[in-house]
Amino acid sequence: MGSIMVHRVAVIGAGPSGLTSIKACLEEGMEPTCFESSDDMGGLWKFKAISEPNRASIYRSLTINISKEMMCYSDFPIPSDYPNYMHHSKILNYFRMYADHFKLLKYIRFQTLVKSVRKAPDYSRTGRWEVLTEKRDGHEERHVFDAVICCSGHYTYPNLPLKDFPGIETFEGKYLHSWDYKGPEDMYGKRVVVIGIGNSGGDIAVETSRVAEQVYMSTRRGAWIIRQVSDNGVPVDMKYNTRFVHILFQLFPINFFNWFGEKKLNAMYDHTMYALKPKHRLFSQIPVINDDLPMKILSGAVIIKPNVKEICGCTVVFDDGSTVEKVDTIVFATGYNYDFPYLPKNAMYKSGHRAGLYKHVFPPTLEHPTLAVVGFIHALGAIMPQAEMQARWVTRVFKGHKKLPSSQSMIKAVEKDTKNIEKSYIVSKLTPLQVDFVSYMDEIAGEIGVRPSLLWLFFTDYPLFKRVLWGPVTAYQYRLMGPGKWEGAHRAIFTQFDRMFQPLKTRKLEPEQPSTARRLVKMSLTVMVGGAAIYYFHTRKPDVIPTLLSNMRPQRV
């Protein structure tokens, strides 16, 4: 890998990954130019009544299933009065506030499509790239940049596998991909079949069931369903996505957590009884996050069916031989393909089902590290903090602060990652990108030098140590130290639960004071349980208590 000078950087796409990439370039003293094909920022979070070709698309009612504290950028908390699970319009507002606060808009060229990215004639010496763009009016322009960051995402090209559904050409109703779904207006009184049980499929089945005559949900593998609302009403990711839980995952076998998690989920609703139980274990694939689907199944508004075998006119036949007649609409919630049509074919290294990127960012076979992909990752967590971490690393590599290994070493690392992913997760050509959120964030943070040190915090700031260990792994933790340190990170961590509670304080209540009777009941129960335990050990295992007491005495020399 040669040492070169990078100043001008092209950023492709002004979605959440593109915005943070612009900011990261500015922080390293580089000059970014962002090309965005639409007329606004935000990527898939811009709602359009009609889906545009080659652009991510959302439906009108979409609410994110990641809580606000877990999805925000590391140095710009989401306003405290915003709800914990935000409607897409509020997410777009947050991106606009972020862009305005850090003055990013002047670096974005809207309505400008990137048609191609090719190596400049002097690439072998300079690492530069030639970028061909096209304005909305058809005017083309060529640019030369020292480096390129691709932020075009992986929800752009709908996967519509019609060949896997024999007889679809005979279907007399309407079929569409979830990419084209905007709302249930066309589903009133209809009989609807939703194919696919991912997050989009679950949302669409629930929403259409409110107006449709009947909704059927077809799934090939089944799915584990988790709730957004956890114990005591806390968002589930703030409850369980902690460093302490992450450490436990490193210490104990994954099968233990699969057993424990599945037992806890089945205690809420038995997945076998609800016909949801999948063929895979809980942590082998990202679960579906949906609080409403089990109730819709219980009420009969949504009926779970196996995979579709064939379609005969308006009748859908399933693998178990059952049929649904008079179907009006089929919604294919069958995921997305990924592609980088503007890049040279030889720029990407293929590994298994996935684009073989070193640490999911850098193509390993290029002569110079001047091309990077940001936001092309999938984990049980929001893309914003992951993309931000990637962008911070990318720009430090561009500036020469960090060096990449040799091409051969990176290819070996890519192949090792592919094997680990295939070993740990259920992967396919549609889902080849899964990583563990905390492990990946820590790995890239280590490359930058911003991974929080628990040992250092234990000795220097114990109250902060407790919040970093036991609290949710929010992005603020990666601004406590090292390059890009933010003075507000400490306070952001201490107040993250305040911001979580703030939108819920809509009715003033007097704090409940524990009564004397309640204290006495707790004390009595404690004494009873303790006494029962002592009696058990005294009668059944009389040597245990004396042994423990002898171990507590100070040793004598």
Side-chain angles (χ1 to χ4, degrees):
M1 295 288 174
S3 177
I4 55 174
M5 296 294 293
V6 173
H7 181 63
R8 298 185 67 239
V9 180
V11 178
I12 302 174
S17 302
L19 292 176
T20 193
S21 295
I22 298 171
K23 178 174 174 287
C25 287
L26 294 172
E27 289 174 341
E28 291 294 338
M30 293 181 285
E31 180 186 325
T33 300
C34 179
F35 299 107
E36 168 57 44
S37 60
S38 73
D39 56 3
D40 198 0
M41 71 179 79
L44 66 84
W45 299 103
K46 300 188 298 289
F47 174 76
K48 296 285 186 180
I50 300 176
S51 299
E52 299 176 358
N54 300 334
R55 290 204 56 79
S57 177
I58 57 173
Y59 34 96
R60 188 176 295 104
S61 63
L62 179 63
T63 298
I64 196 168
N65 56 22
I66 305 294
S67 67
K68 66 178 182 181
E69 288 298 305
M70 299 297 293
M71 65 158 280
C72 66
Y73 295 115
S74 61
D75 54 358
F76 194 71
I78 292 173
S80 59
D81 61 335
Y82 272 38
N84 286 282
Y85 292 110
M86 298 188 293
H87 185 258
H88 64 77
S89 59
K90 288 192 177 294
I91 296 173
L92 184 57
N93 284 341
Y94 170 66
F95 292 145
R96 287 171 175 160
M97 288 187 288
Y98 179 79
D100 182 61
H101 180 78
F102 293 107
K103 298 178 173 53
L104 308 180
L105 278 177
K106 61 184 178 181
Y107 300 99
I108 304 175
R109 297 189 185 183
F110 293 106
Q111 298 186 3
T112 306
L113 173 70
V114 173
K115 297 191 70 177
S116 70
V117 176
R118 299 290 182 266
K119 293 177 180 178
D122 60 353
Y123 171 83
S124 60
R125 181 173 56 86
T126 64
R128 291 176 179 169
W129 297 85
E130 193 174 83
V131 179
L132 175 65
T133 62
E134 182 182 64
K135 297 288 289 183
R136 186 67 62 89
D137 59 9
H139 174 70
E140 291 187 351
E141 190 175 354
R142 292 187 183 275
H143 318 259
V144 176
F145 290 95
D146 300 319
V148 176
I149 304 177
C150 305
C151 304
S152 47
H154 51 94
Y155 294 112
T156 304
Y157 303 99
N159 176 55
L160 193 59
L162 298 181
K163 66 180 186 303
D164 295 337
F165 298 91
I168 185 66
E169 69 279 358
T170 70
F171 183 55
E172 299 171 9
K174 175 184 177 182
Y175 68 82
L176 67 152
H177 191 274
S178 57
W179 184 79
D180 290 308
Y181 176 82
K182 298 301 175 184
E185 295 82 8
D186 296 333
M187 310 289 187
Y188 278 82
K190 301 289 181 67
R191 292 167 66 81
V192 180
V193 173
V194 178
I195 299 176
I197 197 172
N199 284 310
S200 295
D203 286 351
I204 292 170
V206 166
E207 184 170 62
T208 56
S209 71
R210 297 187 178 107
V211 299
E213 177 187 319
Q214 183 64 61
V215 174
Y216 300 87
M217 195 170 194
S218 168
T219 171
R220 185 172 63 247
R221 296 189 58 89
W224 294 105
I225 312 294
I226 68 174
R227 299 186 303 176
Q228 292 169 279
V229 182
S230 183
D231 304 337
N232 301 316
V234 175
V236 67
D237 48 8
M238 292 192 74
K239 180 80 173 180
Y240 292 108
N241 204 348
T242 70
R243 286 194 180 278
F244 178 73
V245 171
H246 178 68
I247 291 171
L248 291 180
F249 268 80
Q250 313 308 308
L251 296 176
F252 294 97
I254 189 64
N255 284 337
F256 166 76
F257 292 101
N258 281 323
W259 169 81
F260 180 80
E262 291 166 11
K263 184 177 177 65
K264 191 172 179 66
L265 292 180
N266 282 323
M268 290 185 283
Y269 26 82
D270 189 317
H271 281 59
T272 299
M273 183 174 72
Y274 280 65
L276 289 167
K277 186 178 179 180
K279 300 175 182 178
H280 58 267
R281 303 302 302 271
L282 174 58
F283 292 105
S284 296
Q285 194 173 64
I286 294 177
V288 174
I289 305 175
N290 196 307
D291 291 50
D292 299 323
L293 182 58
M295 181 58 199
K296 289 297 181 180
I297 295 172
L298 197 61
S299 66
V302 175
I303 297 174
I304 303 297
K305 302 293 288 182
N307 194 40
V308 172
K309 181 180 180 181
E310 62 177 328
I311 298 167
C312 304
C314 288
T315 300
V316 176
V317 183
F318 299 95
D319 280 348
D320 61 356
S322 63
T323 62
V324 173
E325 299 178 344
K326 298 180 181 179
V327 175
D328 300 291
T329 305
I330 299 175
V331 181
F332 288 91
T334 45
Y336 293 82
N337 296 306
Y338 65 89
D339 194 12
F340 301 92
Y342 48 82
L343 290 179
K345 294 298 181 184
N346 60 356
M348 287 295 181
Y349 174 78
K350 190 75 173 177
S351 178
H353 290 295
R354 71 189 187 100
L357 298 169
Y358 178 62
K359 297 188 186 296
H360 304 280
V361 175
F362 285 100
T365 57
L366 295 177
E367 184 181 353
H368 298 290
T370 54
L371 176 67
V373 179
V374 167
F376 193 63
I377 196 70
H378 196 36
L380 188 56
I383 190 60
M384 297 75 171
Q386 295 176 89
E388 180 186 40
M389 190 66 71
Q390 290 177 328
R392 293 171 68 185
W393 179 42
V394 164
T395 52
R396 289 188 64 77
V397 171
F398 284 173
K399 289 299 286 185
H401 299 311
K402 294 292 296 183
K403 301 292 184 184
L404 296 183
S406 67
S407 180
Q408 186 178 7
S409 298
M410 287 195 290
I411 290 173
K412 286 182 179 179
V414 167
E415 294 298 339
K416 182 180 178 182
D417 277 350
T418 299
K419 289 179 181 177
N420 289 338
I421 291 172
E422 290 174 349
K423 180 181 178 182
S424 302
Y425 304 108
I426 303 296
V427 297
S428 69
K429 68 175 184 177
L430 301 180
T431 57
L433 307 168
Q434 188 167 344
V435 297
D436 177 75
F437 179 80
V438 179
S439 295
Y440 184 71
M441 289 287 284
D442 277 354
E443 180 182 6
I444 304 302
E447 293 289 335
I448 306 168
V450 297
R451 184 171 55 204
S453 169
L454 289 176
L455 185 63
W456 181 78
L457 290 175
F458 179 82
F459 288 108
T460 61
D461 193 335
Y462 186 70
L464 179 60
F465 163 80
K466 290 193 298 182
R467 285 163 175 80
V468 171
L469 176 64
W470 297 98
V473 184
T474 47
Y476 317 126
Q477 295 186 9
Y478 301 100
R479 291 283 183 179
L480 289 169
M481 56 190 70
K485 178 181 178 181
W486 176 45
E487 294 301 325
H490 187 281
R491 174 172 171 76
I493 292 171
F494 273 74
T495 56
Q496 56 196 5
F497 278 97
D498 295 336
R499 286 187 297 279
M500 187 207 80
F501 290 127
Q502 183 59 40
L504 304 175
K505 295 179 179 179
T506 56
R507 174 172 167 247
K508 189 174 181 179
L509 298 172
E510 294 298 326
E512 185 178 352
Q513 298 296 332
S515 64
T516 303
R518 183 177 298 179
R519 289 196 191 99
L520 290 174
V521 169
K522 285 184 177 180
M523 187 181 299
S524 301
L525 288 174
T526 303
V527 171
M528 288 171 61
V529 171
I534 293 171
Y535 177 78
Y536 170 82
F537 282 109
H538 180 69
T539 56
R540 299 292 181 89
K541 299 180 180 181
D543 296 334
V544 171
I545 294 177
T547 301
L548 286 174
L549 291 175
S550 65
N551 289 337
M552 294 173 64
R553 296 192 188 105
Q555 291 183 335
R556 294 180 181 178
V557 180

